[in-house]
Amino acid sequence: MRVLICGAGIAGLTLAWHLERAGWEVELVERAPAFREGGYMIDFYGAGYEIARRMGIDGRLREVGYQINELRYVDRHGRRTSGARVPSGFDRLVSLLRVDLARAIADGVHAKIWYGTGVAAVDRHEDGVEVRLTDGTHREVDLLVGADGAHSVVRGLAFGSEERFERYLGHHVAAYVIADERLSEQIGMRYQMLTVPGSMAGAYALRGGRLALLFLRREPDPALPADPAAALRDHFGPLGWILPEVLDRVPADLYYDQVTQIEIERWSRGRVVLVGDACQAVSLFAGHGASLGMAAAWVLADELTGEPVDGRAADLAAALDRYQRRMRPVIAETQAFGRRFIEWLAPSSGLRIVMRDWLLRLAALPGADRLFLRSLTPGGHRLITGGRA
Ligand SMILES: Cc1cc2nc3c(=O)[nH]c(=O)nc-3n(C[C@H](O)[C@H](O)[C@H](O)COP(=O)(O)OP(=O)(O)OC[C@H]3O[C@@H](n4cnc5c(N)ncnc54)[C@H](O)[C@@H]3O)c2cc1C
């Protein structure tokens, strides 16, 4: 079977990893001109962590990742206002740069990745897909996979325009990494955040004297600003703390986007299927999109490469249906959870900030910490235990 995967991100690479081991002929196209560096920190746990363990990369993720031991809220002078210790003993939770997760998966993928390339046109027919790439070449494949993220071009070409599927969550998000030994040491192995109603800025220290920064702000208009770096400086610079300093050094590879969820009725049309954020973006408010992207890729590969029934090769359409049926309930649950979590991550008022601080104190009580962590992964375990495998 020949498959073309558009998008060499978390979901696309995981799918390639599994399909090529099942004997499929796999090719990937990736819009970025080379392996994507930079980016943002993610907390990695739940179903995706279990998949990583089965792929044998969990040890490496722990090596390149971080164990954050404290969440700390600070004021404009950097003084602690509230926070919580992160309980120890969660050996299946690691914080790491998204790029480090992608690289750990990519190192096990042998398929050719065509960088600087995307999908330009899709022609579906009954038993295959003809794909025209942006470099002018063509591919005739049994299956085309759109793993090209929340703003998927494959989805646009085969399913319809983005407005039909996106649910804007009323916020813009930005993230980048800078090198600064002094600030990195000052922040230390704790996740420090400053919140004012409607805005949140956070900083993590990374090895090598680096600092990962995250900005979240309430914005009724989903349209992105013409100059995202200037918009960030204008909005967050006056809030104090380390912000004026770090906002003077916004790099060219700044990540800036709207916060959205993607809701789409059908995840496949004929021989075109979507995986990861392209069909199931849960948003950073839900917290484990990368984990669910890996889980979705695993479930899809699991269904596609099932043992032949009665000597006949697996029916592709039926496999794609089963994939969607296994994934969608968990995604719907997680998206609903993400929407409820908005007020906790980016409180809209002073009262909400006070309530969040109380919740943090409760979460730190013995026993509550584990319940709290479990509540962050609604239904994810079902994906691994409830399937065919
Ligand atoms: C700030 C932030 C914090 C987050 N925190 C967490 C967290 O704590 N835990 C967690 O698990 N998840 C987190 N997430 C979510 C997580 O990063 C995503 O859900 C995950 O990366 C989705 O994987 P994906 O493979 O579907 O998409 P992506 O990882 O976005 O990969 C898509 C790939 O497709 C490529 N591409 C795009 N368009 C095209 C095109 N036209 N042609 C070819 N290639 C294309 C892109 O360059 C990219 O390489 C966070 C997200 C953000 C933005």
Side-chain angles (χ1 to χ4, degrees):
M1 294 286 259
R2 292 199 64 195
V3 61
L4 178 71
I5 301 174
C6 179
I10 306 299
L13 289 166
T14 306
L15 184 65
W17 196 100
H18 287 284
L19 288 183
E20 66 185 20
R21 279 163 180 74
W24 283 45
E25 264 179 73
V26 183
E27 260 185 301
L28 295 105
V29 287
E30 165 58 48
R31 182 179 55 186
F35 191 81
R36 269 176 64 200
E37 299 290 337
Y40 46 85
M41 288 294 279
I42 62 172
D43 295 321
F44 187 63
Y45 52 91
Y49 195 99
E50 174 56 21
I51 306 298
R53 197 188 60 75
R54 292 179 185 201
M55 291 164 71
I57 58 170
D58 55 321
R60 168 152 169 202
L61 299 183
R62 301 196 76 77
E63 253 170 59
V64 296
Y66 301 84
Q67 296 297 325
I68 304 292
N69 51 34
E70 186 189 345
L71 298 178
R72 178 182 289 194
Y73 285 98
V74 297
D75 65 13
R76 59 177 298 113
H77 305 290
R79 288 181 303 229
R80 185 181 188 283
T81 55
S82 67
R85 306 283 313 164
V86 176
S88 57
F90 291 128
D91 54 351
R92 290 182 173 208
L93 185 158
V94 63
S95 302
L96 78 173
L97 284 168
R98 177 200 162 281
V99 63
D100 288 336
L101 173 60
R103 194 178 283 116
I105 307 166
D107 282 354
V109 171
H110 309 289
K112 176 77 187 163
I113 304 177
W114 300 97
Y115 286 103
T117 311
V119 169
V122 174
D123 187 8
R124 290 183 291 122
H125 42 87
E126 204 171 315
D127 50 2
V129 192
E130 191 187 339
V131 185
R132 181 158 55 80
L133 300 182
T134 51
D135 63 6
T137 60
H138 285 76
R139 298 291 187 279
E140 186 68 49
V141 289
D142 297 300
L143 186 67
L144 168 66
V145 181
D148 46 349
H151 306 297
S152 170
V153 165
V154 171
R155 189 186 60 219
L157 291 169
F159 295 76
S161 64
E162 188 156 325
E163 308 83 74
R164 290 174 50 197
F165 311 122
E166 73 174 0
R167 185 200 279 255
Y168 177 55
L169 296 187
H171 287 76
H172 287 193
V173 59
Y176 58 92
V177 174
I178 57 167
D180 189 311
E181 281 203 20
R182 181 181 54 80
L183 284 179
S184 180
E185 206 165 299
Q186 179 184 324
I187 296 297
M189 277 302 123
R190 41 180 109 86
Y191 186 31
Q192 299 209 33
M193 288 165 278
L194 180 147
T195 23
V196 296
S199 299
M200 189 280 269
Y204 278 102
L206 304 179
R207 294 182 199 94
R210 293 173 303 156
L211 199 61
L213 296 146
L214 176 73
F215 300 86
L216 196 55
R217 86 181 159 97
R218 191 169 286 258
E219 172 55 69
D221 184 358
L224 302 185
D227 182 347
L232 275 186
R233 271 192 296 274
D234 291 350
H235 188 83
F236 287 94
L239 300 185
W241 186 38
I242 59 171
L243 300 180
E245 235 179 302
V246 297
L247 286 165
D248 270 347
R249 279 179 281 161
V250 178
D253 65 355
L254 164 72
Y255 173 89
Y256 192 106
D257 205 355
Q258 328 153 329
V259 183
T260 52
Q261 293 183 333
I262 297 294
E263 293 165 318
I264 177 164
E265 199 58 36
R266 297 278 319 148
W267 289 11
S268 61
R269 285 194 74 188
R271 298 293 188 98
V272 184
V273 64
L274 303 173
V275 68
D277 274 9
C279 57
Q280 64 175 50
V282 293
S283 86
L284 83 158
F285 288 118
H288 56 311
S291 173
L292 287 170
M294 277 184 86
W298 181 81
V299 170
L300 178 56
D302 184 43
E303 293 296 352
L304 287 172
T305 61
E307 290 299 313
V309 181
D310 298 334
R312 290 202 311 261
D315 172 353
L316 217 107
L320 297 180
D321 265 359
R322 284 195 304 270
Y323 150 67
Q324 162 161 352
R325 256 185 282 128
R326 271 170 80 179
M327 284 305 300
R328 253 193 112 203
V330 172
I331 296 303
E333 220 175 302
T334 309
Q335 290 180 328
F337 164 80
R339 295 193 290 274
R340 289 196 301 275
F341 208 64
I342 295 176
E343 278 294 345
W344 298 110
L345 198 60
S348 56
S349 66
L351 179 64
R352 292 281 191 174
I353 292 177
V354 173
M355 283 164 64
R356 178 209 58 204
D357 291 347
W358 273 103
L359 184 83
L360 276 176
R361 278 180 207 122
L362 287 177
L365 293 175
D369 47 6
R370 269 158 212 288
L371 275 177
F372 185 64
L373 190 78
R374 229 169 281 141
S375 75
L376 297 182
T377 57
H381 59 283
R382 292 210 304 268
L383 295 172
I384 315 290
T385 54
R388 253 185 359 87

